[in-house]
Coordinates of all heavy atoms in Angstrom, one line a residue:
S198 N 153.2 91.0 75.4 CA 153.2 92.3 74.7 C 154.3 93.2 75.2 O 154.9 92.9 76.3 CB 151.9 92.9 74.8 OG 151.7 93.5 76.0
V199 N 154.6 94.2 74.6 CA 155.6 95.2 75.0 C 155.2 95.8 76.4 O 156.0 96.0 77.2 CB 155.8 96.3 73.9 CG1 156.7 97.4 74.4 CG2 156.3 95.7 72.6
I200 N 153.9 96.0 76.5 CA 153.4 96.6 77.8 C 153.7 95.6 78.9 O 154.2 96.0 80.0 CB 151.9 97.0 77.7 CG1 151.7 98.1 76.7 CG2 151.4 97.4 79.1 CD1 150.3 98.3 76.4
D201 N 153.3 94.4 78.7 CA 153.5 93.4 79.8 C 155.0 93.2 80.1 O 155.4 93.1 81.3 CB 153.0 92.0 79.3 CG 151.5 92.0 79.2 OD1 150.8 92.8 79.9 OD2 150.9 91.3 78.4
Q202 N 155.8 93.2 79.1 CA 157.3 93.0 79.3 C 157.8 94.2 80.1 O 158.7 94.0 81.0 CB 158.0 92.9 78.0 CG 159.5 92.7 78.2 CD 160.3 92.7 76.9 OE1 159.8 93.3 75.9 NE2 161.4 92.1 76.9
T203 N 157.4 95.4 79.7 CA 157.9 96.6 80.4 C 157.5 96.5 81.9 O 158.4 96.8 82.8 CB 157.3 97.9 79.8 OG1 157.6 97.9 78.4 CG2 157.7 99.1 80.5
I204 N 156.3 96.2 82.2 CA 155.9 96.1 83.6 C 156.6 94.9 84.3 O 157.1 95.1 85.4 CB 154.4 95.9 83.7 CG1 153.6 97.1 83.1 CG2 154.0 95.7 85.2 CD1 152.1 96.9 83.0
F205 N 156.8 93.8 83.6 CA 157.4 92.6 84.2 C 158.9 92.9 84.6 O 159.4 92.5 85.7 CB 157.4 91.4 83.2 CG 158.0 90.2 83.8 CD1 157.2 89.4 84.7 CD2 159.2 89.7 83.4 CE1 157.8 88.2 85.2 CE2 159.8 88.6 83.9 CZ 159.0 87.8 84.8
R206 N 159.5 93.7 83.8 CA 160.9 94.0 84.0 C 161.1 95.0 85.2 O 162.2 95.0 85.8 CB 161.6 94.6 82.8 CG 161.7 93.7 81.7 CD 162.2 94.3 80.4 NE 163.5 93.7 80.2 CZ 164.4 94.1 79.4 NH1 164.2 95.2 78.7 NH2 165.5 93.4 79.2
L207 N 160.0 95.6 85.6 CA 160.1 96.5 86.8 C 159.9 95.8 88.1 O 160.3 96.3 89.1 CB 159.0 97.6 86.6 CG 159.1 98.6 85.5 CD1 157.8 99.4 85.4 CD2 160.3 99.5 85.7
V208 N 159.4 94.6 88.1 CA 159.2 93.8 89.3 C 160.5 93.5 89.9 O 161.4 92.9 89.3 CB 158.4 92.5 89.0 CG1 158.2 91.7 90.3 CG2 157.0 92.9 88.5
E209 N 160.6 93.8 91.2 CA 161.9 93.5 91.9 C 161.7 92.3 92.8 O 160.6 92.0 93.2 CB 162.2 94.7 92.8 CG 162.5 96.0 92.0 CD 162.8 97.2 92.9 OE1 163.4 96.9 94.0 OE2 162.6 98.3 92.5
P210 N 162.8 91.5 93.0 CA 162.7 90.3 93.7 C 162.0 90.4 95.1 O 161.2 89.6 95.5 CB 164.1 89.8 93.9 CG 164.8 90.4 92.7 CD 164.1 91.7 92.5
K211 N 162.2 91.6 95.8 CA 161.7 91.8 97.1 C 160.1 91.8 97.1 O 159.5 91.6 98.1 CB 162.2 93.0 97.8 CG 161.8 94.3 97.1 CD 162.5 95.5 97.8 CE 162.1 96.8 97.0 NZ 162.6 98.0 97.6
E212 N 159.6 92.2 95.9 CA 158.1 92.2 95.8 C 157.5 90.8 95.8 O 156.3 90.7 96.1 CB 157.7 92.9 94.5 CG 158.1 94.4 94.4 CD 157.6 95.0 93.1 OE1 156.4 94.9 92.8 OE2 158.5 95.7 92.5
L213 N 158.3 89.8 95.6 CA 157.8 88.4 95.5 C 157.9 87.7 96.9 O 157.4 86.6 97.1 CB 158.6 87.6 94.5 CG 158.5 88.2 93.1 CD1 159.6 87.5 92.2 CD2 157.1 88.0 92.5
L214 N 158.6 88.4 97.9 CA 158.8 87.8 99.2 C 157.6 88.0 100.1 O 156.9 89.1 100.0 CB 160.0 88.4 99.8 CG 161.3 88.2 99.1 CD1 162.5 88.9 99.7 CD2 161.6 86.7 99.0
D215 N 157.3 87.1 101.0 CA 156.3 87.2 102.0 C 155.0 87.6 101.6 O 154.2 88.3 102.3 CB 156.8 88.2 103.1 CG 158.1 87.8 103.7 OD1 158.3 86.6 104.0 OD2 159.0 88.7 104.0
K216 N 154.6 87.2 100.4 CA 153.3 87.6 99.8 C 153.0 89.1 99.9 O 151.9 89.5 100.2 CB 152.2 86.8 100.5 CG 152.3 85.3 100.3 CD 151.2 84.6 101.0 CE 151.3 83.1 100.9 NZ 150.2 82.4 101.6
N217 N 154.0 89.8 99.5 CA 153.9 91.3 99.6 C 152.7 91.8 98.7 O 152.2 92.9 98.9 CB 155.2 92.0 99.2 CG 156.2 92.0 100.3 OD1 155.8 91.9 101.5 ND2 157.4 92.0 100.0
W218 N 152.4 91.1 97.7 CA 151.3 91.5 96.8 C 149.9 91.4 97.5 O 149.0 92.1 97.1 CB 151.2 90.7 95.5 CG 151.0 89.2 95.7 CD1 149.8 88.6 95.8 CD2 152.0 88.2 96.0 NE1 150.0 87.2 96.0 CE2 151.4 87.0 96.1 CE3 153.4 88.3 96.0 CZ2 152.1 85.8 96.4 CZ3 154.1 87.1 96.3 CH2 153.4 85.9 96.4
N219 N 149.8 90.7 98.6 CA 148.6 90.6 99.4 C 148.6 91.6 100.6 O 147.7 91.6 101.4 CB 148.4 89.2 99.9 CG 147.9 88.3 98.8 OD1 147.3 88.7 97.9 ND2 148.2 87.0 99.0
S220 N 149.7 92.3 100.7 CA 149.9 93.2 101.9 C 148.8 94.4 101.8 O 148.4 94.8 100.7 CB 151.3 93.8 101.9 OG 151.4 94.8 102.9
T221 N 148.5 94.9 103.0 CA 147.6 96.1 103.0 C 148.4 97.3 102.5 O 147.8 98.3 102.2 CB 147.1 96.3 104.5 OG1 148.2 96.4 105.3 CG2 146.2 95.2 104.9
E222 N 149.7 97.2 102.5 CA 150.5 98.3 102.0 C 150.9 98.0 100.6 O 151.7 97.2 100.3 CB 151.8 98.4 102.8 CG 151.6 98.8 104.3 CD 152.9 98.8 105.0 OE1 153.9 99.4 104.5 OE2 153.0 98.2 106.1
A223 N 150.2 98.7 99.7 CA 150.5 98.5 98.2 C 151.9 98.9 97.8 O 152.4 98.4 96.8 CB 149.5 99.3 97.4
S224 N 152.5 99.7 98.7 CA 153.9 100.1 98.3 C 154.9 99.0 98.4 O 156.0 99.2 97.9 CB 154.3 101.3 99.2 OG 154.3 100.8 100.6
K225 N 154.5 97.9 99.0 CA 155.5 96.8 99.1 C 155.7 96.0 97.8 O 156.7 95.4 97.6 CB 155.0 95.8 100.2 CG 155.2 96.3 101.6 CD 154.9 95.2 102.6 CE 155.2 95.6 104.0 NZ 155.0 94.6 105.0
A226 N 154.7 96.1 96.9 CA 154.8 95.4 95.6 C 154.1 96.2 94.5 O 153.3 95.6 93.9 CB 154.3 94.0 95.8
P227 N 154.5 97.4 94.3 CA 153.8 98.2 93.4 C 153.8 97.7 91.9 O 152.8 97.7 91.2 CB 154.4 99.6 93.4 CG 155.8 99.3 94.0 CD 155.7 98.1 94.9
N228 N 154.9 97.2 91.5 CA 155.1 96.7 90.1 C 154.4 95.4 89.9 O 153.8 95.1 88.9 CB 156.5 96.6 89.7 CG 157.2 97.9 89.8 OD1 156.8 98.9 89.3 ND2 158.3 98.0 90.6
L229 N 154.4 94.5 90.9 CA 153.7 93.3 90.8 C 152.2 93.5 90.8 O 151.4 92.8 90.1 CB 154.1 92.4 92.0 CG 153.7 90.9 91.9 CD1 154.3 90.3 90.6 CD2 154.2 90.1 93.1
L230 N 151.7 94.5 91.6 CA 150.3 94.8 91.6 C 149.9 95.4 90.3 O 148.8 95.2 89.8 CB 150.0 95.8 92.7 CG 150.1 95.2 94.2 CD1 149.9 96.3 95.2 CD2 149.1 94.0 94.3
L231 N 150.8 96.2 89.7 CA 150.5 96.7 88.3 C 150.4 95.6 87.3 O 149.5 95.6 86.4 CB 151.6 97.7 88.0 CG 151.5 98.5 86.6 CD1 150.2 99.3 86.6 CD2 152.7 99.4 86.4
L232 N 151.3 94.6 87.4 CA 151.2 93.5 86.5 C 150.0 92.7 86.7 O 149.3 92.3 85.7 CB 152.5 92.6 86.7 CG 152.7 91.5 85.7 CD1 153.0 92.1 84.3 CD2 153.9 90.6 86.2
R233 N 149.6 92.5 87.9 CA 148.3 91.8 88.2 C 147.1 92.6 87.6 O 146.2 92.0 87.0 CB 148.1 91.6 89.7 CG 146.9 90.8 90.0 CD 146.8 90.5 91.5 NE 146.6 91.6 92.3 CZ 146.5 91.6 93.6 NH1 146.6 90.5 94.3 NH2 146.4 92.7 94.3
H234 N 147.1 93.9 87.8 CA 146.1 94.8 87.3 C 146.0 94.7 85.8 O 144.9 94.6 85.2 CB 146.3 96.2 87.7 CG 145.3 97.2 87.2 ND1 144.0 97.2 87.7 CD2 145.4 98.2 86.3 CE1 143.3 98.1 87.1 NE2 144.1 98.7 86.2
R235 N 147.1 94.7 85.1 CA 147.2 94.6 83.6 C 146.6 93.2 83.2 O 145.8 93.2 82.2 CB 148.6 94.7 83.2 CG 148.9 94.4 81.7 CD 148.4 95.5 80.8 NE 148.7 95.1 79.5 CZ 148.1 95.5 78.4 NH1 147.1 96.3 78.5 NH2 148.4 95.0 77.2
F236 N 146.9 92.2 83.9 CA 146.4 90.8 83.6 C 144.9 90.8 83.7 O 144.2 90.3 82.9 CB 147.0 89.8 84.5 CG 146.4 88.4 84.2 CD1 146.9 87.6 83.2 CD2 145.4 87.9 85.1 CE1 146.4 86.3 83.0 CE2 144.9 86.7 84.9 CZ 145.4 85.9 83.8
N237 N 144.4 91.4 84.8 CA 143.0 91.5 85.1 C 142.2 92.3 84.0 O 141.1 91.9 83.6 CB 142.7 92.0 86.5 CG 143.0 91.0 87.5 OD1 143.1 89.8 87.3 ND2 143.3 91.5 88.7
Q238 N 142.8 93.4 83.6 CA 142.2 94.2 82.5 C 142.1 93.4 81.2 O 141.1 93.5 80.6 CB 143.1 95.5 82.3 CG 142.9 96.6 83.2 CD 143.8 97.8 82.8 OE1 145.0 97.6 82.4 NE2 143.2 99.0 82.9
L239 N 143.2 92.8 80.9 CA 143.1 92.0 79.6 C 142.1 90.9 79.7 O 141.4 90.6 78.8 CB 144.5 91.4 79.3 CG 144.7 90.7 78.0 CD1 144.4 91.6 76.8 CD2 146.2 90.1 77.9
S240 N 142.1 90.2 80.8 CA 141.1 89.1 81.0 C 139.7 89.6 80.9 O 138.8 89.0 80.3 CB 141.3 88.4 82.3 OG 142.6 87.8 82.4
F241 N 139.4 90.7 81.6 CA 138.1 91.3 81.5 C 137.7 91.7 80.1 O 136.6 91.5 79.7 CB 138.0 92.5 82.5 CG 136.7 93.2 82.5 CD1 135.7 92.6 83.3 CD2 136.4 94.3 81.8 CE1 134.4 93.2 83.3 CE2 135.2 94.9 81.9 CZ 134.2 94.4 82.6
W242 N 138.7 92.3 79.4 CA 138.4 92.7 78.0 C 138.0 91.5 77.1 O 137.0 91.6 76.4 CB 139.6 93.5 77.4 CG 139.4 93.8 76.0 CD1 138.6 94.8 75.5 CD2 140.1 93.2 74.9 NE1 138.8 94.8 74.1 CE2 139.6 93.8 73.7 CE3 141.0 92.1 74.8 CZ2 140.0 93.5 72.4 CZ3 141.4 91.8 73.5 CH2 140.9 92.4 72.4
V243 N 138.8 90.4 77.2 CA 138.5 89.3 76.4 C 137.1 88.7 76.8 O 136.3 88.4 75.9 CB 139.5 88.2 76.6 CG1 139.1 86.8 76.0 CG2 140.9 88.6 76.0
A244 N 136.8 88.6 78.1 CA 135.5 88.1 78.5 C 134.4 89.0 78.0 O 133.3 88.5 77.6 CB 135.5 87.9 80.0
S245 N 134.6 90.3 78.1 CA 133.6 91.3 77.7 C 133.3 91.2 76.2 O 132.1 91.2 75.8 CB 134.0 92.7 78.0 OG 134.1 92.9 79.4
C246 N 134.4 91.0 75.4 CA 134.2 90.8 74.0 C 133.3 89.6 73.7 O 132.4 89.7 72.8 CB 135.5 90.7 73.3 SG 136.5 92.2 73.2
I247 N 133.6 88.5 74.3 CA 132.9 87.3 74.1 C 131.4 87.4 74.5 O 130.5 87.1 73.7 CB 133.6 86.1 74.7 CG1 135.0 85.9 74.1 CG2 132.7 84.8 74.7 CD1 135.9 84.9 74.8
V248 N 131.2 87.8 75.7 CA 129.8 87.8 76.2 C 128.9 88.9 75.6 O 127.7 88.9 75.6 CB 129.7 87.9 77.7 CG1 130.4 86.7 78.3 CG2 130.2 89.2 78.3
S249 N 129.6 89.9 75.0 CA 128.8 91.0 74.4 C 128.4 90.8 72.9 O 127.8 91.6 72.3 CB 129.5 92.3 74.5 OG 130.7 92.3 73.7
C250 N 128.7 89.6 72.4 CA 128.4 89.3 71.0 C 126.9 89.2 70.9 O 126.2 88.6 71.7 CB 129.0 88.0 70.6 SG 130.8 88.1 70.4
P251 N 126.3 89.9 69.8 CA 124.8 89.9 69.7 C 124.2 88.6 69.2 O 123.0 88.5 69.3 CB 124.6 91.0 68.7 CG 125.9 91.1 67.9 CD 127.0 90.7 68.8
S252 N 125.0 87.7 68.7 CA 124.4 86.4 68.2 C 125.3 85.3 68.5 O 126.5 85.4 68.8 CB 124.2 86.5 66.7 OG 125.4 86.4 66.0
K253 N 124.7 84.1 68.5 CA 125.5 82.9 68.8 C 126.6 82.7 67.8 O 127.7 82.2 68.1 CB 124.6 81.6 68.9 CG 123.8 81.6 70.1 CD 123.0 80.3 70.2 CE 122.1 80.3 71.4 NZ 121.3 79.1 71.5
V254 N 126.3 83.0 66.5 CA 127.3 82.8 65.4 C 128.5 83.7 65.7 O 129.7 83.3 65.6 CB 126.7 83.1 64.1 CG1 127.8 83.2 63.0 CG2 125.6 82.1 63.7
L255 N 128.3 85.0 66.0 CA 129.4 85.9 66.3 C 130.1 85.5 67.6 O 131.3 85.7 67.7 CB 128.9 87.3 66.4 CG 128.4 88.0 65.1 CD1 127.8 89.3 65.4 CD2 129.6 88.0 64.1
L256 N 129.4 85.0 68.6 CA 130.0 84.6 69.8 C 131.0 83.4 69.6 O 132.1 83.4 70.1 CB 128.9 84.1 70.8 CG 129.4 83.8 72.2 CD1 128.4 84.2 73.3 CD2 129.7 82.3 72.4
V257 N 130.6 82.5 68.7 CA 131.4 81.3 68.4 C 132.7 81.8 67.7 O 133.8 81.4 67.9 CB 130.7 80.3 67.6 CG1 131.6 79.2 67.0 CG2 129.6 79.6 68.5
R258 N 132.5 82.7 66.7 CA 133.6 83.3 66.0 C 134.6 84.0 66.9 O 135.8 83.9 66.8 CB 133.1 84.2 64.9 CG 132.6 83.5 63.7 CD 132.2 84.5 62.6 NE 131.4 83.9 61.6 CZ 130.7 84.6 60.7 NH1 130.7 85.9 60.7 NH2 130.1 83.9 59.7
C259 N 134.0 84.8 67.8 CA 134.8 85.6 68.7 C 135.6 84.6 69.6 O 136.8 84.8 69.8 CB 133.9 86.5 69.5 SG 134.8 87.6 70.6
F260 N 134.9 83.6 70.2 CA 135.6 82.7 71.0 C 136.7 81.9 70.3 O 137.8 81.8 70.8 CB 134.6 81.7 71.6 CG 135.1 80.7 72.6 CD1 135.3 81.1 73.9 CD2 135.5 79.4 72.2 CE1 135.9 80.3 74.8 CE2 136.0 78.6 73.2 CZ 136.2 79.0 74.5
A261 N 136.4 81.5 69.1 CA 137.4 80.8 68.3 C 138.6 81.7 68.0 O 139.8 81.3 68.0 CB 136.8 80.3 67.0
F262 N 138.4 83.0 67.7 CA 139.4 83.9 67.5 C 140.4 84.0 68.7 O 141.6 83.9 68.6 CB 138.9 85.3 67.2 CG 139.9 86.4 67.2 CD1 140.8 86.6 66.1 CD2 140.1 87.3 68.3 CE1 141.8 87.5 66.1 CE2 141.1 88.2 68.3 CZ 141.9 88.4 67.2
F263 N 139.8 84.1 69.9 CA 140.6 84.2 71.1 C 141.3 82.9 71.4 O 142.5 82.9 72.0 CB 139.8 84.7 72.3 CG 139.6 86.2 72.3 CD1 138.3 86.7 72.1 CD2 140.6 87.1 72.3 CE1 138.1 88.1 72.1 CE2 140.4 88.5 72.2 CZ 139.1 89.0 72.1
V264 N 140.7 81.8 71.1 CA 141.4 80.5 71.3 C 142.6 80.5 70.4 O 143.7 80.0 70.7 CB 140.5 79.3 71.0 CG1 141.2 78.0 70.9 CG2 139.4 79.2 72.1
G265 N 142.5 80.9 69.1 CA 143.6 81.0 68.2 C 144.7 81.9 68.7 O 145.9 81.6 68.5
V266 N 144.3 83.0 69.2 CA 145.3 84.0 69.8 C 146.1 83.3 70.9 O 147.3 83.4 71.0 CB 144.6 85.3 70.2 CG1 145.6 86.1 71.1 CG2 144.1 86.1 69.1
A267 N 145.3 82.6 71.8 CA 146.0 81.9 72.9 C 146.9 80.9 72.4 O 148.0 80.7 73.0 CB 144.9 81.3 73.8
K268 N 146.5 80.1 71.4 CA 147.4 79.0 70.9 C 148.7 79.7 70.3 O 149.8 79.1 70.5 CB 146.7 78.2 69.9 CG 145.7 77.3 70.4 CD 145.0 76.5 69.3 CE 144.0 75.5 69.9 NZ 143.3 74.7 68.9
T269 N 148.6 80.8 69.6 CA 149.7 81.4 69.1 C 150.6 82.0 70.2 O 151.9 81.8 70.1 CB 149.3 82.6 68.1 OG1 148.5 82.1 67.1 CG2 150.5 83.3 67.5
L270 N 150.0 82.5 71.2 CA 150.9 83.0 72.3 C 151.6 81.9 73.0 O 152.8 82.1 73.4 CB 150.0 83.8 73.3 CG 149.4 85.2 72.7 CD1 148.4 85.7 73.7 CD2 150.6 86.1 72.5
V271 N 151.0 80.8 73.1 CA 151.7 79.6 73.8 C 152.9 79.2 72.9 O 153.9 78.9 73.4 CB 150.7 78.5 74.0 CG1 151.4 77.2 74.4 CG2 149.7 78.8 75.1
K272 N 152.7 79.2 71.6 CA 153.8 78.8 70.7 C 154.9 79.8 70.8 O 156.1 79.5 70.7 CB 153.3 78.8 69.2 CG 152.5 77.6 68.9 CD 152.0 77.6 67.4 CE 151.1 76.5 67.1 NZ 150.6 76.5 65.8
L273 N 154.6 81.1 71.1 CA 155.6 82.1 71.3 C 156.2 82.1 72.7 O 157.0 83.0 73.0 CB 155.0 83.5 70.9 CG 154.6 83.7 69.5 CD1 153.8 85.0 69.3 CD2 155.8 83.7 68.6
K274 N 155.6 81.2 73.5 CA 156.0 81.1 74.9 C 155.7 82.4 75.7 O 156.4 82.8 76.6 CB 157.5 80.7 75.1 CG 157.8 79.4 74.5 CD 159.2 78.9 74.8 CE 159.3 77.6 74.2 NZ 160.7 77.0 74.3
N275 N 154.6 83.0 75.3 CA 154.1 84.2 76.0 C 153.0 83.8 76.9 O 151.8 83.7 76.4 CB 153.6 85.3 74.9 CG 153.1 86.5 75.6 OD1 152.9 86.6 76.8 ND2 153.0 87.6 74.8
Y276 N 153.3 83.4 78.1 CA 152.3 82.8 79.0 C 151.5 83.8 79.8 O 150.5 83.5 80.3 CB 153.0 81.8 79.9 CG 153.7 80.7 79.2 CD1 155.1 80.7 79.2 CD2 153.0 79.8 78.4 CE1 155.8 79.7 78.5 CE2 153.7 78.8 77.7 CZ 155.1 78.8 77.8 OH 155.7 77.8 77.1
N277 N 152.0 85.0 79.8 CA 151.3 86.1 80.6 C 150.1 86.6 79.8 O 149.1 86.9 80.5 CB 152.2 87.2 80.9 CG 151.6 88.2 81.8 OD1 151.1 87.9 82.9 ND2 151.5 89.5 81.4
S278 N 150.1 86.7 78.5 CA 149.0 87.3 77.8 C 147.9 86.3 77.5 O 146.9 86.6 77.0 CB 149.6 87.8 76.4 OG 150.4 88.9 76.7
T279 N 148.2 85.0 77.8 CA 147.2 84.0 77.4 C 146.1 83.9 78.5 O 146.3 84.2 79.6 CB 147.8 82.6 77.3 OG1 148.6 82.3 78.4 CG2 148.6 82.5 76.0

């Protein structure tokens, strides 16, 4: 998505060195941490949508929808949003 691309473009090479994203100092990889946060938000939203379905029929439809979205994103070579 546009949001993911915007954040991804902010990541600097130094943020990828020495596992800076695991550092106690968040300032060493702020953009990478933001990208990870965005990924986690999206993953949580998808999981929440699926498990909050009130019936099995809706759950199956919801799951199938997200599988379809994931397949489309792979075709578009958008691997971050999948």
Side-chain angles (χ1 to χ4, degrees):
S198 74
V199 175
I200 296 170
D201 294 332
Q202 181 187 24
T203 302
I204 299 169
F205 183 77
R206 294 177 114 192
L207 294 173
V208 176
E209 297 181 27
K211 66 181 180 182
E212 295 183 52
L213 302 168
L214 300 173
D215 300 321
K216 297 182 183 179
N217 282 334
W218 61 90
N219 285 332
S220 173
T221 55
E222 297 176 46
S224 62
K225 287 188 174 184
N228 300 308
L229 196 55
L230 292 176
L231 184 60
L232 190 62
R233 181 173 70 179
H234 179 69
R235 171 77 179 152
F236 176 85
N237 288 338
Q238 280 183 318
L239 185 60
S240 300
F241 181 78
W242 175 72
V243 170
S245 295
C246 287
I247 293 170
V248 300
S249 67
C250 290
S252 71
K253 287 183 182 180
V254 172
L255 290 176
L256 187 144
V257 170
R258 285 184 190 167
C259 184
F260 186 79
F262 171 78
F263 283 117
V264 168
V266 169
K268 286 180 178 180
T269 301
L270 290 170
V271 168
K272 286 180 186 175
L273 295 172
K274 297 184 179 178
N275 181 345
Y276 304 112
N277 188 56
S278 296
T279 50

